[in-house]
Amino acid sequence: MALQALNNEGIRAKWVHLPVMNQRVEGLISLFFPRLCQACGSGLATGERVVCTSCLYHLPRIRTRNGQDNAVARHFWGKVRVGAAAAFLQFNKGKRVQRLVYNLKYRKRKDIGVFIGHLFGTELCRLDGFQRVDAIIPVPLHPARQRSRGFNQSVCFADGMSRALGVPVDNQLLCRNRPTESQTRKHRFERWQNVHDVFTPLKRPANRHFLVVDDVITTGSTTAACAEALLSLPGARVSVAAMAYANQL
Ligand SMILES: [Zn+2]
C-alpha cells in the first residue's frame, strides 16, 4: 500500500495543482493517493511537502560555518584544488537519508532533489566561499546511464540550489566520456585511475567560479575528477556542494 502510494504521487501531483481544486477535493484525493514523507513513509500533513516536519527536525544535518575548513572540504585536500565544499546531510545506511537518496534515484522522485537543493541553497549563500558563483555544474551521468535512468538526480539537486542562489545550472559544459564502476570497493589509487580523464569540458568559458553538485560524496573521486576537468579551463575556480556526505571510508 505504501509503495503503491509512493508511485501514485506523480499522478496526484498533476491533479492537485489544477486551479479549480479546493481543499475538500484535495482531501478526497488524499484518501486514495496519500502524500507520504519521502524519508519515513508516514502521511504528510497539510502544508508539509516531500519531507515531514519530524524528519526535517531529525535529519542528520552537517552544520558548516566555513566552506574552506570542514570535513567535506578536508576530504579534497591534497587531491584537487577546491575552493569551498559542503554537504547538507550525513549519509547513514538504513536511515532517513538513504531512503531520500533511494527514492530520488530509483523511484524517480525528482522533487526530493529540488526540495533538498533549495533548502541547502538558502543556507549556502550565507557561507564563506560560496558567494559569487557563476554556474552550477551537476556531475554528469554517462549518456547510457542517463538513458536507462531517464534523468540525472544531480540536475534535480542543482535546480533546487539554482532557485535559492539565483545562479544558472549548466549541464552542457561537461561531458562524461565513459561510465565508471562502483568506487567504494577500490583502493585509493584504483579509484583515481578509474575516474581520471573521465570528464571533458565541451566549452572554454574563462574566469568562472563553478559550483559542482553531486548527490552523495563517498570516496569523492568522481566529484574531484569533475573539479579537475573544470580547473583545466582558464582562470577557473571550483567549489563543491553535495546533498549528503558518507565519510565511512
Ligand atoms: Zn518523515
Side-chain angles (χ1 to χ4, degrees):
M1 177 62 189
L3 291 182
Q4 185 60 41
L6 278 170
N7 291 335
N8 284 335
E9 184 70 21
I11 302 166
R12 189 187 184 291
K14 278 184 194 163
W15 288 95
V16 295
H17 289 113
L18 287 175
V20 293
M21 207 55 76
N22 59 35
Q23 279 192 338
R24 281 177 65 188
V25 178
E26 186 169 347
L28 198 63
I29 288 175
S30 296
L31 279 176
F32 298 99
F33 305 114
R35 300 185 312 126
L36 300 181
C37 168
Q38 295 302 304
C40 73
S42 63
L44 289 173
T46 306
E48 290 179 337
R49 211 160 56 81
V50 185
V51 177
C52 73
T53 307
S54 171
C55 283
L56 269 182
Y57 181 78
H58 289 105
L59 280 174
R61 294 286 321 280
I62 298 176
R63 305 282 175 186
T64 307
R65 291 221 173 116
N66 181 331
Q68 282 94 10
D69 189 0
N70 61 62
V72 183
R74 284 194 289 276
H75 197 97
F76 295 99
W77 287 1
K79 296 171 187 164
V80 65
R81 190 166 40 85
V82 163
F88 190 60
L89 299 167
Q90 179 69 51
F91 186 90
N92 292 311
K93 281 193 173 162
K95 302 269 174 70
R96 289 180 171 94
V97 179
Q98 187 178 26
R99 279 183 226 124
L100 283 173
V101 173
Y102 181 89
N103 288 338
L104 166 63
K105 283 169 80 167
Y106 302 109
R107 295 197 188 283
K108 305 185 192 308
R109 286 296 306 258
K110 300 176 186 175
D111 53 345
I112 296 171
V114 176
F115 181 75
I116 301 288
H118 192 267
L119 283 180
F120 196 23
T122 54
E123 294 186 6
L124 215 58
C125 56
R126 293 193 289 269
L127 210 62
D128 275 355
F130 291 98
Q131 287 83 20
R132 292 182 288 279
V133 170
D134 296 301
I136 300 174
I137 313 293
V139 171
L141 292 178
H142 185 265
R145 172 72 61 86
Q146 174 133 356
R147 270 198 301 278
S148 69
R149 187 170 292 164
F151 74 108
N152 177 355
Q153 68 279 359
S154 292
V155 172
C156 306
F157 180 56
D159 284 342
M161 296 201 91
S162 170
R163 289 178 201 180
L165 295 171
V167 172
V169 176
D170 188 345
N171 59 3
Q172 306 295 320
L173 177 57
L174 284 185
C175 150
R176 191 165 190 148
N177 306 316
R178 55 190 157 82
T180 49
E181 301 162 44
S182 172
Q183 300 289 299
T184 45
R185 292 205 185 88
K186 292 180 184 298
H187 292 298
R188 188 175 163 150
F189 178 70
E190 287 177 308
R191 285 175 204 155
W192 284 90
Q193 259 194 334
N194 194 36
V195 296
H196 186 64
D197 286 341
V198 76
F199 299 103
T200 309
L202 298 174
K203 300 175 270 185
R204 305 285 300 167
N207 304 317
R208 302 283 170 87
H209 182 192
F210 299 109
L211 180 62
V212 174
V213 300
D214 206 353
D215 53 351
V216 183
I217 290 178
T218 306
T219 69
S221 49
T222 307
T223 318
C226 239
E228 201 177 59
L230 291 168
L231 286 168
S232 72
L233 297 171
R237 287 192 299 137
V238 174
S239 295
V240 169
M243 197 167 139
Y245 174 53
N247 59 343
Q248 75 270 32
L249 292 173

